[in-house]
Each structure stands twice: as structure tokens, then as C-alpha cells.
Amino acid sequence: MTQFLAFEAVGFASVTKAVMAAVLLFGWARWATLVDKDALHFYIGRRLWNTIQCAAAGLAFAALFMIPMFLVGFILAVLILIGAVAAYVAVRNPKVGESDQWHLDFATLTSAFSQRREDRATEQATMRFAKPAPGYKQVPMPDDAMHAPHLEFEHVIAPAIGRRAERIDIAGGEGEFAVQVTIDGVAYRQSKLAAANAVAMIDYLKGQCGMDTADRRRKQVGQCVIELEASGRHNLRVATAGSTQGLTCTIQVDASKQVLRPLNKLGLMDSQLEAVKSIHDTGGIVLVATPSHQGRSTTLYALTGTHDPYTQDIHTLESATEAELEGVTQTVVDAQALPKTLNSLLLRDPAVVMIASLTEAETAKIAARAAAEENRRIYIGLKADNTMTALRMWIKAVGDPKMVGRGLTAVISQRLIRKLCPVCRVKYKPDAEALRKLNLPADRIKELYKSGGRVMIKNKEETCPTCGGLGYMDRIGAFEVMVLDDDAKRLVATGDLEQLRAHVRRNKTLWLQEAALGAVVHGETSISEVMRAMGGEK
């Protein structure tokens, strides 16, 4: 029994010695590598100091294994290696700048250790927040209360942006919070979050956006910039609000990039683009009508952007600035103050005015009068399904068809339709009867495309890596462009809108569905997508 216990003690001591020696060897190897690189960088006798470090290591390990008492040998070995470290630092510091000097005091070592922990946390994170000034905010450490909310937000935002989400909605109350991402205008439900985790995450995000984390009821809006390991920097616009039902958080991703597109990239057909260009310098009102979330702001910004801000005085009146337009004076104004603000603005003789959204009749009357009497170019956004509906709304708001006829130049309506993924779209032969129902020439259309979502990779069918299996990538507009010539203006002035409809049809105006089906024929989208988009808000 005594022999067994003695054997156990010897075995334990041997393992302990081996571990301590290995730790010492590993520490010395790391230090020697650092000295080698540092001496090379600062020209401090690389070979000499490599020799000294190796000699010190030889003496240290000789003491470790030759002195009978292991602990005494270990302490002596440590002191020999520390002496070599101190000698290098003493020779090095006078030869380098103050900012590059090394210090061996406790505070410096503690600071370096903390910095190393922070660096490791940053390296392991897939997302970090940018500071207002150049640089990034520190990723919360594992022992920080904000570490879990940070990881939760990573798990929500990174996959969503990886799938090209333009919007993320988080909402809930007690129990669970629902998460929904919108990709190319279509909402997809994600895994739910536990209420406590979701609330902590939203509070953490509000803090990063400079919002009041203590106030969960009032509607708040903030912005921040994140950097994802996989896709780089992204601007987030965050809106939160609370009620007795719970808490909501809406995150818009890169909203400015979505809004700012040139006119020729919106999806206008060649004939429509030429029609819009033909009225560029004619003055008058141009109405842009869409249902909600159908690209109205993008089109208004694109039209406004066709005017030169350095030779013309251009203004926008918006409830919120969607994106910055270079050289354009952008004013944020609420609906109640809009008529007064517009009146004041028109006194300054602007060349172009853009009103993002018309919500009441007084603004319509002021704008119509300015267009009819002074030939002002004014772009106005309306919530309407098509050009004829928008025209009726405009006449009703102005209350004077004759004034509308004198000042109205064009009405543009649109829907957003998803584009087929060019990698996985599937070619097929369409049914002739189905084409005839859509007023498409069955004898001339031999093939169309539909969404796929799957591709062959090494003889194996897999999810399309380009679109993530959705079958669609990005969106374009299907447009209805009604430009009013003199005859059309006379029909508007008399209120004969049925005759107006027939007149613009004779002038080869395309209706929304016809323009959308044109994109189908050209292989840009599918019939099912057109049916989905045209079945929107009424």
C-alpha cells in the first residue's frame, strides 16, 4: 500500500514537472519569435540577440533539469529568462521612439493583457459597430452584460444581410418576438426570439444608435453603421416604438443605396424613357403615383436628380430624408406645415420642387396654381394604383379641372417586380391559351422563363448560391407613363377622363400590366411574379 502511494506521488510530480517545463518552453519560444521580428524591424542586432536568447534558454533548462530540487531549478530558470528579457528591453528602448518603447511594469503588462483579450474578442466577432469618427467600437467581452445581446443581434442581422434583406421587423410582447425579413419586397418569417433576449437586443441596438434605452414607449429613430465580416459596411436606420401590446423594432438596411438609382436604371422601357426625357425642360407638374412600398421615393429622387443643382435652385419637401441629393436643398416638414412651407419656398423662385407625399388639398391647390401660372416644375408623390386613379385624386384635391389641365404635364405610375435570378432561371415553352388570355402573341413567343432556385453543381442539384434559393435577384419597375399633350390637357380641363383614356391609348401609352408583361417577354421576370405584383394594394 505504501509503495503504491509513493508511486502515485512520483507519477503526479513527473506530470507536474512536465507541464511546468512545457509552459516555460512555450513562453520562451513566443518571446524568442517576438525578439527576432522586433530586432529585424528596428535593426537591433538580430543575430546577436537571437544567440543571447538561445544561450539564456540553454542555461535556464540546464538549471531546470540538473538541479536536484525541481522547484529551485524552475525558479532559477525563470530568473535567467527574465534577465534576458530585461537585457533586450534595456538595449532596445533607447534605440526606438517613445511610442514604440516596451515597459515591464505591472500596469503596462495588465493593460497589454486586457488589450489582447479585446483584440481576440474582436477577431472572433462577425460584426462590429463603427464609431462616428474613424474606427470601431469595442466588441463586448464575454463577461460583459452586453455580450449576449451583441451575439443575438449578430445572429439576426448577419444572415438577413447575407440574403440581401432590405428590412428587418422584430415585434412581440410577453413570451416570444417574431422576426421577419423583407427581401426584394417579399417578407419571410424567421425563427422567433425569446422575449427577454429580444428586449435586451433591442435595447443594446438603441444604445449603439444613440437612442434613449430607458424609454420603450415613445417612437424613436436612430442610425448606426456596422461592419460584417462577410459583406463589409452597412448603414442601418432603426425605428422603435412601444405600446400596451408590446415592442416593435424596424431596421432598414442601406436605405440610401436602395433609393438612389439613375432614371435609366429604374426599368422604364425605351419609349417611356424617351417620353419622360421629352418633358424634362417643359415645366408643369409631374405626378408620381404608387401604392405603399412600390418605389415612389426612388422615382421621385431619380427625376429630381436629372436636373443640374449647380445651375438651378432645386428643393425637396419631405417628411423624412430618404437619401442625400448633392447640391439639392432638402427640407424635412410635417404634413400640417407643408402648405405654409411650400408657399414660402415658391416666393424664392425655385427652378424645381419635389414634394415627396401629398396628404391634403391645400398643398395641391398651391402647387397647381404655381404650375399653371408660373410654369414651375414640381414633382409630387401620390398614393394611388395607376395613372387614371392618380389623375382623379389630383383633380379632386385641386378642385379646378381647368387649372389642372393648364398645369399638369405628366402622370407616372409604377409597380416593383422582382427580377429572375440570371443563374438559376428556368426556360420553358408557354401554353398558347395562357398567352392569349394575357393578350400576348402566342405565335411569336416560343419560350419564357420562370424562377428556379436550384442549380447543378458537380452533377448534384443544390440551392442556387447567387440568389440563395429564392429564384429572384433585385427589382425593377413596371411603369405607366402618361404625358399630356395639348389635346389631353383640354380633355382634363373639361373633365372628360374616358375620352382622355382613349386619347392616350391612341398615343401608344402602355398600361402597367402591359409594361410588366414586356419584362416577362424579355426574360427579366416571370408571369407568376407579375400576377403577384399586380395583385397589390387597391
Side-chain angles (χ1 to χ4, degrees):
M1 182 69 176
T2 305
Q3 290 179 342
F4 178 78
L5 291 174
F7 177 80
E8 283 283 280
V10 170
F12 176 75
S14 299
V15 172
T16 303
K17 289 178 183 179
V19 171
M20 292 174 70
V23 170
L24 193 63
L25 178 62
F26 177 75
W28 172 82
R30 292 288 301 269
W31 168 253
T33 302
L34 176 62
V35 168
D36 178 64
K37 294 179 179 179
D38 187 73
L40 177 64
H41 181 73
F42 288 107
Y43 302 99
I44 311 177
R46 179 187 182 194
R47 289 186 179 180
L48 172 63
W49 283 103
N50 280 343
T51 302
I52 292 172
Q53 298 303 317
C54 289
L59 288 173
F61 284 96
L64 181 65
F65 293 111
M66 294 182 67
I67 294 177
M69 296 183 66
F70 177 79
L71 186 59
V72 173
F74 182 81
I75 293 173
L76 183 58
V78 171
L79 291 175
I80 292 171
L81 293 179
I82 289 176
V85 171
Y88 180 74
V89 173
V91 172
R92 174 192 185 278
N93 279 355
K95 296 183 178 182
V96 300
E98 187 175 349
S99 61
D100 293 316
Q101 291 182 359
W102 292 349
H103 301 281
L104 299 179
D105 58 278
F106 181 75
T108 303
L109 293 174
T110 303
S111 175
F113 178 72
S114 298
Q115 184 61 48
R116 179 59 182 158
R117 287 186 67 215
E118 292 176 0
D119 291 343
R120 284 182 176 176
T122 301
E123 289 170 3
Q124 293 171 0
T126 60
M127 181 212 71
R128 52 185 179 170
F129 288 90
K131 294 179 179 178
Y136 296 91
K137 298 179 182 179
Q138 177 57 46
V139 175
M141 303 294 292
D143 54 358
D144 190 327
M146 292 296 102
H147 183 68
H150 180 93
L151 291 181
E152 192 77 66
F153 186 60
E154 273 191 15
H155 296 155
V156 170
I157 198 73
I161 291 181
R163 297 177 66 197
R164 301 175 294 102
E166 66 254 20
R167 175 179 168 134
I168 303 160
D169 291 284
I170 305 165
E174 297 181 1
E176 292 181 322
F177 272 60
V179 180
Q180 181 175 278
V181 301
T182 301
I183 305 169
D184 295 330
V186 177
Y188 300 88
R189 291 191 177 277
Q190 307 299 296
S191 300
K192 292 184 176 182
L193 301 176
N197 296 346
V199 171
M201 181 192 73
I202 293 171
D203 284 347
Y204 173 67
L205 179 59
K206 288 170 66 177
Q208 297 294 336
C209 295
M211 300 156 70
D212 184 357
T213 57
D215 188 348
R216 291 178 179 166
R217 295 295 296 271
R218 180 172 56 91
K219 182 177 180 180
Q220 297 185 64
V221 178
Q223 297 189 55
C224 61
V225 177
I226 64 170
E227 182 175 275
L228 290 173
E229 186 178 52
S231 56
R233 290 171 71 93
H234 300 275
N235 289 281
L236 306 184
R237 184 178 295 164
V238 180
T240 63
S243 68
T244 55
Q245 302 300 315
L247 187 64
T248 63
C249 176
T250 299
I251 305 167
Q252 289 181 288
V253 182
D254 295 326
S256 296
K257 291 181 182 179
Q258 296 175 37
V259 169
L260 294 177
R261 297 193 183 193
L263 191 66
N264 61 356
K265 298 295 184 182
L266 299 184
L268 287 159
M269 301 179 75
D270 291 342
S271 59
Q272 294 175 326
L273 184 59
E274 288 304 313
V276 173
K277 288 181 177 179
S278 71
I279 60 169
H280 183 267
D281 300 317
T282 59
I285 284 175
V286 176
L287 300 177
V288 177
T290 74
S292 300
H293 308 300
Q294 289 295 318
R296 189 188 316 149
S297 296
T298 301
T299 300
L300 285 168
Y301 273 60
L303 289 167
T304 306
T306 61
H307 298 273
D308 186 356
Y310 299 104
T311 59
Q312 295 178 297
D313 187 21
I314 304 174
H315 292 256
T316 71
L317 301 177
E318 310 169 67
S319 59
T321 302
E322 299 286 339
E324 291 186 6
L325 291 171
E326 185 178 354
V328 175
T329 302
Q330 296 175 266
T331 303
V332 175
V333 57
D334 60 37
Q336 290 182 338
L338 184 56
K340 183 178 179 180
T341 305
L342 179 58
N343 251 330
S344 178
L345 174 59
L346 292 173
L347 293 175
R348 285 179 268 165
D349 197 27
V352 179
V353 177
M354 186 271 273
I355 302 172
S357 181
L358 184 73
T359 56
E360 37 64 50
E362 188 177 355
T363 300
K365 291 178 172 66
I366 296 169
R369 190 179 308 113
E373 296 176 359
E374 303 171 20
N375 200 33
R376 302 274 190 198
R377 169 46 58 90
I378 305 177
Y379 297 108
I380 298 178
L382 281 177
K383 186 178 179 181
D385 284 344
N386 53 57
T387 55
M388 296 305 296
T389 301
L391 180 56
R392 290 188 181 94
M393 289 175 59
W394 181 246
I395 292 172
K396 182 179 179 181
V398 174
D400 185 346
K402 291 182 179 178
M403 184 178 290
V404 171
R406 282 162 43 210
L408 186 62
T409 298
V411 185
I412 300 172
S413 183
Q414 74 182 69
R415 287 288 196 287
L416 293 179
I417 53 176
R418 293 181 296 173
K419 295 171 63 178
L420 287 167
C421 174
V423 174
C424 64
R425 65 178 185 172
V426 178
K427 185 189 298 186
Y428 71 98
K429 184 178 180 180
D431 178 68
E433 183 59 29
L435 290 176
R436 279 191 285 271
K437 289 181 179 179
L438 294 171
N439 292 322
L440 292 174
D443 57 330
R444 293 190 309 186
I445 298 175
K446 302 302 180 184
E447 61 184 33
L448 293 176
Y449 291 88
K450 60 183 179 181
S451 63
R454 309 284 290 179
V455 293
M456 296 297 294
I457 300 177
K458 295 182 179 180
N459 297 321
K460 183 180 178 182
E461 188 177 76
E462 295 186 12
T463 299
C464 176
T466 303
C467 66
L470 299 179
Y472 295 92
M473 281 276 294
D474 200 9
R475 290 185 290 176
I476 55 172
F479 287 86
E480 196 171 280
V481 179
M482 184 169 68
V483 175
L484 277 66
D485 58 17
D486 291 340
D487 291 337
K489 290 185 177 185
R490 281 194 290 271
L491 291 170
V492 170
T494 59
D496 195 346
L497 299 189
E498 289 304 317
Q499 283 297 318
L500 172 68
R501 183 182 181 89
H503 174 74
V504 297
R505 187 60 170 170
R506 285 194 297 271
N507 287 347
K508 299 183 180 180
T509 296
L510 290 174
W511 305 131
L512 272 172
Q513 183 165 312
E514 293 172 322
L517 289 173
V520 172
V521 173
H522 288 101
E524 292 183 286
T525 192
S526 65
I527 291 177
S528 61
E529 172 60 13
V530 169
M531 296 300 101
R532 183 199 68 82
M534 292 299 120
E537 186 176 327
K538 299 296 181 185

